Amino acid sequence: MHQLVIIGGGPAGISASIYAQRKRMDFVLITREIGGQVIKAGEIENYLGYAMVDGVMFVQRMMEQMERLGVKPILDEVVKVERLEEGFLLRTFSGKEYVSKVVLFCTGAEHRKLEVPGEREYTGRGVSYCYTCDAPFFKDVDVLVVGGGNAGFEAVDQLINYARRIYLMEIGEQFKADEVLREKVLSIQKVVPLLRHRVLEIKGDKRNVKSVLIEDLNPKRVYKLEVEGVFVEVGLKPNSELAKSLGVLTTQKEEIIIDCNNRTSERGVYAAGDCTNVFAKQIITAAGDGAKALLSVYHDLTYGIHSWI
């Protein structure tokens, strides 16, 4: 039986694994991929110690640190977690089984979908959830970015170097991105802001996106916007299904509820990062949360495991 299994290899999981290795714990890190959402990030300029670094390089640095410390992640996917009389049994996609005293969920989150006609059909053919990956494919064409938060504005910032015109859509009455981003992006002439708008349908030919049917909520009218790309940045959906199978309490947004020590409502179950109800979904907060969660696990294994209920 291991002391701990960490599920997820984004900043929270990697940070937790580094701290676990330094504590000489008997642990396993299981993840489908290394880096999580960071691997798809553009330029990162708000992480301590880095004036500017892109997502791929940042993940490479984390991998080098794990390798230097002797952390060897298992590239697999946990598909089922069961509570035993003492501890937990975890089964992976490859058919392997692991037994652990406690479990730390660092499963992150995935991009939310618009859930409109045409979205699934044209995913990869004009509809994108990764501006870093796909921006160069939209050179000299008009595109639509859906989402007025930081992610949406960062997508526009990447697309400025490629697209001819960029429509930036937000369903609310104002954009929610940081002031610095708003000032930078909205001052660019090729950016067309669309407040109080929403997507009704994505249309195209047999190959690619050609237009989007949108609704102007004030005044209320429906019209067609001719674009060849749609970048969806409308928030994140927590990967909390495995944790919920153990009975942990979640928010209405399906975020795993944790206390200040990263304990969940279930004894022996911990969580950190974007899969939780932590307010800020940032790389630096996820990394800090992973470290804090591991220290909490270590304390509880040493002095007695608790839950916050």
Side-chain angles (χ1 to χ4, degrees):
M1 177 182 285
H2 298 286
Q3 288 181 295
L4 166 68
V5 170
I6 302 169
I7 306 175
I14 291 174
S15 178
S17 70
I18 288 172
Y19 271 74
Q21 183 74 352
R22 289 177 59 82
K23 290 291 188 182
R24 296 293 187 263
M25 294 181 67
D26 177 9
F27 75 99
V28 176
L29 169 62
I30 305 174
T31 182
R32 188 170 53 190
E33 61 181 359
I34 301 294
Q37 294 181 70
V38 180
I39 200 74
K40 299 176 182 178
E43 293 178 338
I44 301 166
E45 51 184 334
N46 57 353
Y47 196 94
L48 294 179
Y50 291 94
M52 182 74 73
V53 62
D54 68 75
V56 174
M57 179 58 70
F58 190 78
V59 172
Q60 183 62 40
R61 296 280 175 82
M62 291 193 291
M63 292 174 66
E64 290 172 358
Q65 187 173 3
M66 284 195 294
E67 185 176 355
R68 187 165 60 249
L69 291 171
V71 178
K72 297 179 180 179
I74 297 170
L75 296 180
D76 204 344
E77 182 179 2
V78 177
V79 295
K80 191 171 185 179
V81 184
E82 299 177 28
R83 184 181 288 278
L84 303 175
E85 188 173 339
E86 290 292 334
F88 301 87
L89 172 65
L90 298 90
R91 294 187 174 88
T92 69
F93 181 80
S94 67
K96 294 183 179 179
E97 294 185 346
Y98 300 86
V99 179
S100 174
K101 289 183 179 179
V102 301
V103 178
L104 172 56
F105 287 96
C106 300
T107 43
E110 296 178 354
H111 285 281
R112 290 190 184 277
K113 307 295 191 297
L114 296 174
E115 305 295 348
V116 299
E119 181 179 18
R120 180 180 296 180
E121 178 183 355
Y122 288 104
T123 295
R125 297 193 291 146
V127 175
S128 172
Y129 305 91
C130 180
Y131 56 85
T132 304
C133 315
D134 298 335
F137 298 119
F138 295 87
K139 189 172 178 62
D140 298 326
V141 301
D142 293 351
V143 300
L144 169 66
V145 175
V146 186
N150 283 345
F153 273 73
E154 287 166 2
V156 174
D157 191 38
Q158 290 278 317
L159 287 159
I160 285 167
N161 298 319
Y162 303 100
R164 180 176 56 202
R165 183 182 291 108
I166 307 162
Y167 296 95
L168 176 57
M169 179 183 292
E170 164 62 39
I171 196 170
E173 296 182 353
Q174 60 184 8
F175 294 115
K176 303 171 185 175
D178 293 341
E179 187 66 32
V180 172
L181 274 173
R182 293 206 305 269
E183 290 177 357
K184 178 181 181 181
V185 167
L186 296 178
S187 66
I188 298 169
Q189 194 169 7
K190 67 166 65 177
V191 177
V192 181
L194 298 173
L195 288 169
R196 292 183 60 80
H197 281 69
R198 68 187 180 104
V199 175
L200 298 179
E201 184 177 357
I202 299 171
K203 297 174 173 287
D205 56 22
K206 293 182 179 180
R207 297 180 60 188
N208 298 307
V209 169
K210 293 298 179 184
S211 66
V212 176
L213 191 66
I214 64 177
E215 181 180 17
D216 184 348
L217 300 174
N218 187 26
K220 197 157 188 176
R221 66 189 180 102
V222 175
Y223 64 97
K224 183 172 71 172
L225 191 67
E226 293 186 355
V227 294
E228 295 184 35
V230 179
F231 288 80
V232 181
E233 298 292 345
V234 292
L236 300 171
K237 181 182 183 302
N239 294 319
S240 57
E241 289 79 9
L242 279 176
K244 288 194 295 184
S245 72
L246 292 173
V248 302
L249 295 179
T250 59
T251 67
Q252 290 184 337
K253 295 180 179 179
E254 300 183 36
E255 300 164 317
I256 302 169
I257 299 174
I258 57 172
D259 70 0
C260 61
N261 294 308
N262 294 84
R263 302 183 184 111
T264 72
S265 58
E266 293 295 313
R267 185 175 183 272
V269 183
Y270 303 75
D274 286 2
C275 63
T276 74
N277 62 326
V278 169
F279 171 71
K281 314 295 188 186
Q282 299 285 311
I283 298 170
I284 194 167
T285 53
D289 215 31
K292 182 161 65 73
L294 190 282
L295 294 175
S296 177
V297 168
Y298 182 78
H299 176 276
D300 288 355
L301 286 174
T302 304
Y303 299 105
I305 299 174
H306 306 281
S307 69
W308 55 264
I309 287 185

